[in-house]
Amino acid sequence: MVTALIEQLSGAWRRVVGPASRSAALALVLAVLLGGAHLARLGTDAARAVVGVGLALSVGVVLLRSWLERRAWRSARRTIHRVLVSADPALGRKALRALSLAERTAHDSSAGSAELAALHLERLMASVSVERVSRAATRRASRYRVIGYALIGAAFVALLVSPARVVEGLDVLVARHGRAPLHLAWLDAPQITAKLPAYLRAGGDRLLSPGEPVELPIGTQLVFRGVPLRPGRALRLHAGEREVPFVADGAGAVVARWTVMSDVRLRVVARFGNTLIEEAESLEVRAVTDRAPLVELESAPRTMKLAELDRLELRYDASDDHGLRQIDLVLRSGGSEDRRTLSRLDGEVESDAGGAVLQPDDPFLRRMFLPVVVTVEALDNDPVAGSKWGKSDAITIVPPAVGEPEARRFAALLGLRDELTDLLARELDGSAPRDHLARSQAIPARVSDVVDASYGGLSVPSGLSAFLLGQARALARPLRPGESLVRKTEDVLLAFDVALRTVGANDARAVARRLADVAEEAAEGAKLARESERQALGLARVDVALDALAKGARELRRLDALGRDLGSVAAADLGRARSARARSDMTHTELAARHLAARLRRPEPSFGSARTGGVESGAGSSRASGGKASQAADHFDQLASELQELVRDHATELGSVERSLSEAEQSVDMEALREEARRHAEAVRGALRALPLPGSEPGTARAAAALGREHAGAMAESLERLSFADAVNDGRDALAALSDAEKKAAENPNGAALDRSALLEARQRLGAELSWAEQQLTQLKQQAQARSRGALEKSSRAEQGIARRAGNLADRGKNAETALPEDAIGALERAAGIMREASRELANGRGDRGLELQRQAQRLLEQASNGKTTDSNGQDDGRARSQRNDPSEDGGEGGKSLRMGGEVPHPGDGRSAEDFRRRVLQGLGKAGSERLSPAVKRYAEGLLQ
């Protein structure tokens, strides 16, 4: 009965209070959630943690209260306390005491009658007014409703203030790994444009659509523009680890720029602390890299031997998808590289073709002992990712063994000495006296063949060549009265022998020093091989260098006594290095290689005096007295030194005459002629107005007349500059062109229309102006010569003395011990004659003619001067032989014997052409080059292209 009454009371209470309390609990959770969204929107870890904890606490409080209420309604005491005490406090306290008594008597009979205590409790509960309980419940429910309404109002205020902030805050609150799960739009009417890199030269911008993948070149600038849907957000353009902020453009929109450097997916995001809220759409960009230039090298790839190389023509074709800046010829060998620029471009040319030539005596090729890899490389114009080199296939040039060319040359010279020895033996035993003349006459041709030959790109030095040819000429000349045939042959043989030993010793020293570089390469390779990460590369360098050392040592032993000595030393140390290499002992391999390198850098005999060369070197093996068996080489070198000094002295005297004439011309006052020269220049221009302009078909009369107009225009410019010499030359060229035009017009009267009367009038007027310019030039020269007469007379005496010295040297060159080649003697004699004539012209005050003769003589002197027998170790350019073999040596201005000084060599002449180019460029760069008219300078520079 009591239990039923208690349940009746609790039911009445819960029906009224329960819904209100639950509504208040839900309002609390909602208020915490919406209010916390504003705090969570800060995006920091602390803010999100505070909101999360607050939300968890509110939900926990609600759940805990619900559990406690369910538990409380199952207890009679708690029910009475909650319901009856709240409705009627006095009755409620009585009921609680009665309940306590009933519970005590139920367990302890000594406390009283349990039936009476239960009856007392039942009567009290029956006296409770349900209506009163309902009123108390209503009052409690009202309080809950007030609290709920207050919390709901706060939540709605938080929502109504900024619904977007609440949504953003809730999105940030539930974010994971810095990314919110809900995508939101941030820009209104977004626009994406792509501006291609300037080096592509593609005008206009591209409009892109988000959501569609797009391919763009590296360096493209993407511009994102739009109006923010909700101001105050920190908008970013995001891709991976990188972000670019949006900035205001001053017109209400925001802009962000992104440069494409790699594949990327771009999104517009808003950053809230450490959290991003992304837009749903993204832009996927695939970066298109600028390809490296494509270079094709004709006949590549291939491998060839340097010893078999006569001339390597390299033709290339380079192209790039956007533009080329530079093309280089690259030579690599081991760790060495030589890069030579073939072409510099403006970065807008997409293709280029050209060529280059490698000569076998190229310095880089000559000093390499490892295979040389030849490629052509092109550089593009990519300013964004950096310019890239494109490389062609390679042509590999395998050089001969170190010392092989020297050994071949020494063997050829040794063969000459052996032939002379055989000739002397036949003379001594008298076995073939009849054919002696024929055999001795054949010696010069045989010597010429040997000294003119190339030995793996190596030639005989010009000084030694001249000495040997001079000795061969001395041998072939007829016997003089009282001269012994055997003695003459012995002298020539001894001269050959001494020269050969000198060449052998010099070559052995040079080859030994080059082998020292090879040993250093082996040492560096061994040092590199000790590093584990580069061991394979180091071992490869060691093996290649040791193999090159072995081959070089064999060749070194072929170079006479000193070569045999140094070659045996190299072989011994090489054996130690190879033994250490076989044991993979890189430390001792390096030590042995460095010891060998140090020894080869001192290419002196192992035994004997370093001054005399020692017995092993062969320097003293054939001379008991310690002196040379033949002094011919020394006498020849003395003569060569005097000839070189003569060349220098004459060049100094020639420069003195040039300065004298130049100073005399500059001292002539021509200001009085300036106004008159200007009038004549205008007269020349007036004579040209009726002539056609350039642009006609080449080879026609109009083209020739246009050329004449150009020359005449240059003549007018020269007159205004008071450069009468240039004006006269231009005027003569102009008259020649007009004459040619008249001739072509007469031959083809039906050709292009040409006013022949105007042409004739222009010729007459131009001829008159040319006569005036020639007259002024003659007068100026006369004045200059008069002013320079004293200096010219002094130069005349000096020129006469140099002519006598040249004649004496030519006479001495005919002697046996100082014999010069026939072409050298002829050049000296002609030079002496020309210098005597130049002396007479200078003495008579004709400086221009004397200077021209001096220049002719200087070229002949330089042609005759081949240097000493020891001047070079074979890196000769072959100029002396090309002059000596020239069939025409008339000594005139146009003679082929003067081709190194007076004619333009063919572009295929290798170093001769390069030397000519250098001399012309130096001449154009001198201070006096302003005397050249612009047309002449342009023409000369065009020849060098």
Side-chain angles (χ1 to χ4, degrees):
M1 183 65 180
V2 173
T3 302
L5 292 173
I6 292 174
E7 289 180 355
Q8 183 181 3
L9 291 176
S10 68
W13 181 273
R14 283 187 291 179
R15 281 193 297 272
V16 177
V17 176
S21 65
R22 287 194 294 273
S23 298
L26 292 177
L28 173 64
V29 174
L30 181 60
V32 171
L33 179 62
L34 297 182
H38 287 272
L39 179 61
R41 187 176 175 277
L42 296 176
T44 63
D45 294 339
R48 295 176 62 206
V50 168
V51 175
V53 170
L55 187 60
L57 286 176
S58 63
V59 173
V61 167
V62 170
L63 294 177
L64 178 61
R65 183 181 180 282
S66 176
W67 178 75
L68 290 175
E69 287 225 356
R70 287 195 300 272
R71 183 179 178 185
W73 295 124
R74 287 194 297 270
S75 170
R77 180 178 296 276
R78 291 179 181 176
T79 302
I80 293 171
H81 185 275
R82 174 170 293 187
V83 175
L84 192 54
V85 171
S86 297
D88 189 348
L91 184 59
R93 283 191 291 272
K94 289 180 181 181
L96 288 174
R97 287 194 297 272
L99 178 62
S100 299
L101 179 61
E103 290 175 348
R104 188 165 62 249
T105 57
H107 295 87
D108 185 3
S109 59
S110 63
S113 172
E115 290 79 5
L116 291 175
L119 181 61
H120 176 65
L121 176 61
E122 183 177 350
R123 288 177 177 177
L124 285 175
M125 295 303 299
S127 65
V128 175
S129 173
V130 176
E131 182 181 356
R132 193 170 183 177
V133 170
S134 297
R135 288 197 299 271
T138 301
R139 291 193 299 271
R140 179 64 61 85
S142 297
R143 289 197 292 270
Y144 278 128
R145 289 189 184 94
V146 170
I147 294 173
Y149 291 149
L151 291 175
I152 290 175
F156 273 98
V157 169
L159 179 62
L160 293 175
V161 167
S162 179
R165 295 174 68 89
V166 173
V167 174
E168 293 164 357
L170 295 177
D171 204 10
V172 171
L173 181 63
V174 297
R176 295 188 60 190
H177 306 298
R179 301 293 178 90
L182 178 63
H183 293 168
L184 300 177
W186 298 112
L187 295 178
D188 183 24
Q191 184 180 21
I192 307 174
T193 57
K195 184 175 182 180
L196 300 180
Y199 72 94
L200 298 181
R201 299 180 300 281
D205 296 340
R206 292 177 57 184
L207 189 62
L208 306 180
S209 299
E212 298 179 3
V214 61
E215 292 186 350
L216 295 173
I218 287 181
T220 300
Q221 187 180 65
L222 298 176
V223 180
F224 285 69
R225 184 186 305 273
V227 178
L229 291 172
R230 291 172 291 280
R233 273 61 173 177
L235 300 184
R236 301 284 192 273
L237 190 58
H238 180 81
E241 301 297 326
R242 184 182 168 201
E243 292 179 0
V244 175
F246 279 84
V247 296
D249 66 352
V254 291
V255 178
R257 290 176 171 82
W258 184 282
T259 301
V260 176
M261 299 302 296
S262 60
D263 292 350
V264 68
R265 183 183 292 275
L266 296 170
R267 289 181 185 271
V268 177
V269 302
R271 175 167 287 283
F272 298 91
N274 301 328
T275 305
L276 299 178
I277 300 180
E278 303 172 334
E279 279 195 345
E281 291 185 330
S282 63
L283 178 66
E284 182 180 354
V285 179
R286 300 190 183 105
V288 179
T289 59
D290 181 20
R291 296 189 301 272
L294 176 64
V295 186
E296 295 182 0
L297 180 59
E298 186 177 295
S299 302
R302 62 170 168 157
T303 302
M304 57 196 313
K305 294 183 178 179
L306 178 60
E308 300 173 356
L309 178 64
D310 178 54
R311 170 187 172 90
L312 178 58
E313 295 186 358
L314 304 169
R315 295 185 176 87
Y316 66 86
D317 192 346
S319 61
D320 186 64
D321 48 356
H322 301 308
L324 297 169
R325 284 197 177 277
Q326 184 173 323
I327 298 176
D328 286 357
L329 173 65
V330 184
L331 286 71
R332 295 186 179 89
S333 179
S336 301
E337 177 179 302
D338 186 11
R339 186 176 290 272
R340 306 170 186 180
T341 300
L342 299 178
S343 179
R344 293 189 185 275
L345 305 169
D346 57 5
E348 298 186 1
V349 178
E350 296 183 2
S351 64
D352 184 63
V357 176
L358 270 181
Q359 300 290 348
D361 59 349
D362 185 273
F364 186 86
L365 297 179
R366 297 306 311 170
R367 68 173 181 267
M368 290 299 116
F369 57 89
L370 299 177
V372 178
V373 178
V374 181
T375 58
V376 175
E377 300 184 6
L379 182 68
D380 66 10
N381 68 338
D382 186 357
V384 179
S387 298
K388 298 174 288 298
W389 288 95
K391 183 168 63 173
S392 70
D393 291 331
I395 295 178
T396 303
I397 301 177
V398 181
V402 177
E404 180 183 345
E406 289 83 356
R408 289 173 54 191
R409 182 176 66 182
F410 184 79
L413 296 175
L414 191 63
L416 285 180
R417 191 194 66 176
D418 292 343
E419 291 183 22
L420 287 174
T421 303
D422 293 342
L423 179 62
L424 178 61
R426 296 170 70 86
E427 292 172 356
L428 288 173
D429 62 18
S431 59
R434 294 181 179 179
D435 64 346
H436 166 75
L437 181 60
R439 292 174 62 85
S440 62
Q441 293 292 335
I443 290 295
R446 174 75 178 114
V447 172
S448 181
D449 291 341
V450 171
V451 300
D452 286 341
S454 176
Y455 304 94
L458 197 66
S459 59
V460 177
S462 58
L464 178 62
S465 173
F467 172 74
L468 297 180
L469 286 171
Q471 291 297 316
R473 182 182 61 81
L475 179 66
R477 65 170 173 78
L479 290 175
R480 296 170 182 171
E483 186 178 16
S484 169
L485 175 63
V486 173
R487 178 57 184 272
K488 182 175 72 168
T489 307
E490 286 178 345
D491 290 343
V492 173
L493 176 58
L494 289 175
F496 265 73
D497 181 68
V498 171
L500 183 61
R501 290 181 180 277
T502 301
V503 171
N506 291 341
D507 283 351
R509 291 186 176 92
V511 172
R513 292 188 179 97
R514 291 178 60 199
L515 280 178
D517 295 336
V518 183
E520 287 288 354
E521 173 69 13
E524 290 299 323
K527 180 180 179 181
L528 187 65
R530 294 205 300 269
E531 303 176 11
S532 58
E533 65 275 10
R534 306 181 68 183
Q535 185 177 26
L537 177 61
L539 291 176
R541 290 178 64 177
V542 170
D543 293 338
V544 172
L546 291 181
D547 184 60
L549 270 173
K551 296 177 181 178
R554 287 196 298 269
E555 299 298 335
L556 181 58
R557 298 179 73 169
R558 297 170 58 189
L559 293 174
D560 208 32
L562 180 59
R564 289 193 294 274
D565 178 11
L566 297 175
S568 62
V569 171
D573 282 359
L574 179 61
R576 288 192 287 271
R578 279 187 159 171
S579 176
R581 167 66 181 92
R583 300 192 305 270
S584 298
D585 184 356
M586 292 298 106
T587 300
H588 286 86
T589 301
E590 180 186 359
L591 292 176
R594 295 202 187 280
H595 178 270
L596 176 57
R599 175 64 183 90
L600 292 176
R601 294 197 192 283
R602 296 183 293 102
E604 300 300 333
S606 300
F607 306 99
S609 169
R611 179 178 60 83
T612 61
V615 175
E616 284 77 14
S617 70
S621 58
S622 63
R623 53 194 71 96
S625 63
K628 289 185 178 180
S630 172
Q631 302 294 324
D634 292 341
H635 293 161
F636 179 87
D637 288 344
Q638 181 179 355
L639 179 65
S641 296
E642 294 179 19
L643 182 53
Q644 291 174 349
E645 183 179 358
L646 178 68
V647 173
R648 290 193 296 269
D649 292 346
H650 188 263
T652 302
E653 189 57 39
L654 191 151
S656 176
V657 173
E658 287 180 336
R659 287 193 299 274
S660 298
L661 292 177
S662 177
E663 291 171 358
E665 290 178 2
Q666 294 174 5
S667 65
V668 176
D669 185 11
M670 294 190 293
E671 286 301 319
L673 291 174
R674 185 173 299 278
E675 187 60 33
E676 187 177 1
R678 186 177 294 111
R679 289 198 303 270
H680 283 276
E682 290 301 324
V684 170
R685 292 190 178 96
L688 306 176
R689 292 192 178 95
L691 297 180
L693 294 172
S696 301
E697 182 180 354
T700 62
R702 291 183 62 84
L707 179 61
R709 178 170 182 157
E710 288 289 300
H711 284 302
M715 176 184 176
E717 293 179 6
S718 299
L719 287 175
E720 289 182 340
R721 297 195 315 271
L722 299 181
S723 178
F724 290 102
D726 292 339
V728 168
N729 291 331
D730 291 331
R732 290 171 179 170
D733 292 339
L735 282 179
L738 294 180
S739 298
D740 184 45
E742 188 175 1
K743 179 180 178 181
K744 290 179 178 178
E747 292 175 351
N748 187 16
N750 297 326
L754 180 64
D755 190 346
R756 299 182 63 181
S757 61
L759 180 61
L760 180 60
E761 181 182 357
R763 281 189 57 197
Q764 292 174 350
R765 294 175 61 182
L766 188 59
E769 299 302 329
L770 177 59
S771 298
W772 180 85
E774 290 174 340
Q775 180 182 359
Q776 298 304 316
L777 179 61
T778 302
Q779 293 177 1
L780 291 174
K781 285 185 176 181
Q782 290 173 354
Q783 295 177 27
Q785 289 174 358
R787 291 174 180 268
S788 63
R789 191 172 188 86
L792 293 180
E793 289 178 354
K794 181 179 178 181
S795 297
S796 172
R797 293 190 294 272
E799 189 76 7
Q800 187 66 31
I802 296 175
R804 286 194 296 271
R805 289 168 59 188
N808 293 335
L809 291 177
D811 292 338
R812 290 169 57 189
K814 298 176 183 178
N815 296 331
E817 287 197 337
T818 57
L820 291 173
E822 291 287 354
D823 57 351
I825 293 176
L828 273 176
E829 290 176 341
R830 290 196 300 275
I834 293 174
M835 283 189 286
R836 285 190 288 270
E837 184 180 354
S839 175
R840 290 192 294 271
E841 295 293 336
L842 294 174
N844 293 328
R846 293 188 286 271
D848 289 344
R849 176 58 180 165
L851 181 61
E852 186 174 345
L853 292 171
Q854 280 185 304
R855 289 169 177 161
Q856 294 182 23
Q858 181 68 20
R859 290 193 290 268
L860 289 170
L861 290 176
E862 291 173 354
Q863 178 184 337
S865 177
N866 294 296
K868 302 178 183 179
T869 59
T870 57
D871 272 351
S872 169
N873 194 39
Q875 304 305 324
D876 191 77
D877 58 10
R879 284 179 288 177
R881 286 187 298 282
S882 68
Q883 295 166 354
R884 182 172 57 247
N885 294 334
D886 202 323
S888 174
E889 295 183 337
D890 57 5
E893 295 183 26
K896 292 185 179 180
S897 62
L898 304 180
R899 66 181 296 234
M900 294 307 297
E903 290 192 356
V904 178
H906 189 273
D909 288 350
R911 192 174 297 177
S912 299
E914 184 60 28
D915 287 345
F916 171 78
R917 175 187 178 89
R918 174 175 47 79
R919 291 197 305 274
V920 172
L921 290 176
Q922 289 175 349
L924 290 175
K926 290 181 179 178
S929 64
E930 66 269 11
R931 300 175 60 190
L932 293 173
S933 69
V936 173
K937 292 182 67 174
R938 290 194 299 270
Y939 176 73
E941 291 166 352
L943 287 176
L944 303 178
Q945 299 302 318

